[in-house]
Amino acid sequence: MTDPIVMTLSMIMVGQILLSVPVLLTRAKKSVICLPLALFLFANGALAMEPVVSTYFPNWYQLYSALAFPALFVLAPSLWFYVEGITAEKPWQLNSTQARHFVLLWPAILISVVMMFLPKDMHTAIFIDDADLSDPLTCTLMVSILIIILLWLGQCAYTIYRIIHRLVAYRQQLKNVFSNNDDKELNWINWLMFVAISAWLFSLATLFSSSLFDNLLFNLRTESLLLLLLIWSLAHFGLQQKPVLTEYNEENNLNSTLNNESVSETVLDIESNDNQSGTTPESPKKYQRSALSVEQATRIAGKINNVMENDKLYLDSSLSLQKLANHVAISPNYISQTLNETLSANFFDFVNQWRIEAAKPKIIANKNTVLDIALEVGFNARSSFYKAFKQETGQTPSEYRKQLEKTER
């Protein structure tokens, strides 16, 4: 008899999925990135039905196990596609090359067909009673299942590695275009990865302990709870998450088209000044692929520093590379190149350096709370202010103030 708590957790999972998948399929008409998430949740729903089917519909268990087995091999590819889509710089689309990610699905389907047509007594002996059978068909089937499960574990590990690597690159790209990333960094996926890894490890540990020692060293309730947290997190945050870089680049392209003439005029002015000064800009290798010379980049650096100092753009908590580009009428790509190669900073760090400098006198004055100061100079949260302040000064705000007080004494 299935543990009633495990049964309850499974039913909650299935209910969450039944509520989320139709919403995602509706949204997929406008944003195809909702499809991988819907597929991931649907596959989890199929797997979560196991205790329900085995308890209340035992006569259907053979058919269920054959149909649910391939769902296991949809999980890693669909999760990867979802993360790839929400971190993409361009709208994510389905294409034929993505079929290679489902390479394990086809042998899994073949195995499920064999499972479906096994004699019922043989299926019960293998998958329910865990009996030892020595006939060639059973041995071949069990070895095939073992091999494909090991390959699946390898695919899961590789998928997690790719997701982590993708998130690192995505967060670095955010710093090139936004001055505040508190609500854009997809930190909830870190939690998701932790829960997913924990759930998979518990599943393996449960399988290992029950197979070798005929008892459960790890509680199935814990495994079910972790899976419920995984499903809830992905459904809750996934329904709210938008592809930030995709939306930014689409807006950027629109603004670039509208402002193309004024941007061109500014660049021509810079080039004209170069020619009038009689200088010949250097052409190091790092500039060979860009129309921007060293001299022009220096002039742009001076211009963006001037507008920061005089117009105090850093006080705008929603300041982005595109907003700065619009203000100075210079291409975002030129500004980004100037920041990275002339000022040796990404956009995020460049703006936050100005914010920290503006915060220092307020920290010393000690008339407002740290949160108030953080909000006044353009940060969205106390934690991001602390992190940026320590990165810039090597000290927390309170340590910085105390050190100055000691120096003055």
Side-chain angles (χ1 to χ4, degrees):
M1 180 68 179
T2 303
D3 185 332
I5 294 180
V6 173
M7 178 73 73
T8 301
L9 293 174
S10 298
M11 293 300 293
I12 294 173
M13 271 189 278
V14 172
Q16 175 73 64
I17 291 166
L18 289 176
L19 289 173
S20 303
V21 169
V23 176
L24 289 167
L25 292 177
T26 301
R27 293 183 181 180
K29 297 176 182 178
K30 293 183 178 180
S31 178
V32 72
I33 189 55
C34 293
L35 284 178
L37 181 55
L39 182 60
F40 181 83
L41 292 176
F42 181 80
N44 273 284
L47 296 170
M49 287 293 294
E50 193 276 336
V52 178
V53 175
S54 61
T55 301
Y56 296 109
F57 307 100
N59 293 332
W60 293 88
Y61 188 76
Q62 181 172 355
L63 177 62
Y64 163 79
S65 62
L67 295 176
F69 183 69
L72 198 63
F73 303 90
V74 170
L75 298 177
S78 56
L79 182 59
W80 163 248
F81 290 150
Y82 174 68
V83 174
E84 184 183 46
I86 60 174
T87 58
E89 296 183 34
K90 297 179 180 179
W92 186 83
Q93 298 293 334
L94 290 169
N95 58 69
S96 57
T97 61
Q98 293 164 346
R100 70 181 187 276
H101 292 275
F102 293 98
V103 63
L104 294 180
L105 179 61
W106 313 118
I109 292 175
L110 180 61
I111 290 173
S112 70
V113 171
V114 175
M115 291 168 59
M116 186 179 298
F117 291 101
L118 281 175
K120 190 169 183 178
D121 57 340
M122 184 178 293
H123 182 277
T124 301
I126 296 173
F127 297 103
I128 298 178
D129 297 336
D130 199 21
D132 294 327
L133 300 178
S134 58
D135 63 282
L137 176 61
T138 303
C139 292
T140 302
L141 178 61
M142 297 307 295
V143 169
S144 300
I145 291 176
L146 176 61
I147 291 173
I148 199 169
I149 289 295
L150 291 175
L151 291 174
W152 175 74
L153 291 173
Q155 183 186 45
C156 290
Y158 179 62
T159 300
I160 290 172
Y161 165 78
R162 291 192 70 189
I163 289 175
I164 294 172
H165 187 267
R166 178 83 177 190
L167 289 175
V168 170
Y170 166 77
R171 287 162 183 163
Q172 183 58 44
Q173 183 60 20
L174 285 179
K175 290 187 174 183
N176 289 329
V177 295
F178 296 109
S179 64
N180 272 316
N181 299 329
D182 300 306
D183 57 343
K184 305 179 183 71
E185 291 192 335
L186 303 178
N187 289 321
W188 62 271
I189 293 186
N190 297 342
W191 160 252
L192 183 73
M193 290 294 97
F194 172 77
V195 173
I197 293 171
S198 300
W200 286 328
L201 289 177
F202 266 98
S203 297
L204 285 176
T206 300
L207 178 64
F208 175 79
S209 63
S210 62
S211 297
L212 295 186
F213 304 111
D214 294 324
N215 68 324
L216 296 181
L217 298 178
F218 295 88
N219 200 326
L220 281 174
R221 295 179 181 182
T222 305
E223 179 187 337
S224 299
L225 180 60
L226 286 172
L227 289 173
L228 175 59
L229 289 174
L230 173 67
I231 297 302
W232 181 87
S233 299
L234 195 53
H236 175 74
F237 292 107
L239 287 169
Q240 301 177 56
Q241 188 63 54
K242 295 181 180 180
V244 175
L245 287 178
T246 299
E247 292 187 352
Y248 169 82
N249 286 326
E250 288 178 343
E251 180 183 356
N252 184 8
N253 292 334
L254 177 60
N255 288 331
S256 296
T257 301
L258 295 175
N259 298 324
N260 186 56
E261 185 175 341
S262 61
V263 169
S264 298
E265 288 175 356
T266 301
V267 174
L268 287 173
D269 288 341
I270 294 174
E271 292 175 349
S272 176
N273 289 332
D274 289 342
N275 293 332
Q276 288 174 10
S277 65
T279 60
T280 303
E282 300 177 21
S283 300
K285 290 183 179 180
K286 62 183 178 181
Y287 292 118
Q288 285 183 353
R289 294 184 180 181
S290 172
L292 190 67
S293 69
V294 177
E295 184 69 24
Q296 290 166 354
T298 302
R299 291 179 182 277
I300 291 175
K303 186 167 185 177
I304 60 179
N305 275 316
N306 285 336
V307 298
M308 282 292 176
E309 182 175 0
N310 298 326
D311 300 344
K312 302 188 185 304
L313 296 183
Y314 56 85
L315 297 179
D316 179 5
S317 63
S318 62
L319 182 64
S320 67
L321 180 65
Q322 182 62 54
K323 281 188 176 182
L324 176 59
N326 291 342
H327 190 84
V328 297
I330 296 175
S331 164
N333 292 333
Y334 282 173
I335 294 177
S336 182
Q337 179 181 331
T338 298
L339 289 172
N340 288 313
E341 298 182 344
T342 303
L343 298 177
S344 300
N346 54 49
F347 179 74
F348 178 86
D349 291 335
F350 172 73
V351 175
N352 283 339
Q353 286 168 5
W354 282 94
R355 289 171 175 166
I356 296 303
E357 289 303 314
K360 286 179 179 178
K362 299 177 184 293
I363 292 293
I364 296 171
N366 197 23
K367 293 181 179 180
N368 295 314
T369 65
V370 173
L371 176 59
D372 289 337
I373 294 172
L375 297 176
E376 285 176 13
V377 298
F379 288 94
N380 282 334
R382 186 175 184 270
S383 58
S384 57
F385 172 66
Y386 259 86
K387 183 178 180 181
F389 195 94
K390 190 163 187 178
Q391 179 180 329
E392 184 66 20
T393 65
Q395 300 172 308
T396 65
S398 58
E399 290 171 345
Y400 177 79
R401 184 176 61 251
K402 289 177 181 178
Q403 183 181 17
L404 285 179
E405 288 174 352
K406 288 180 181 179
T407 304
E408 290 175 356
R409 292 173 186 172

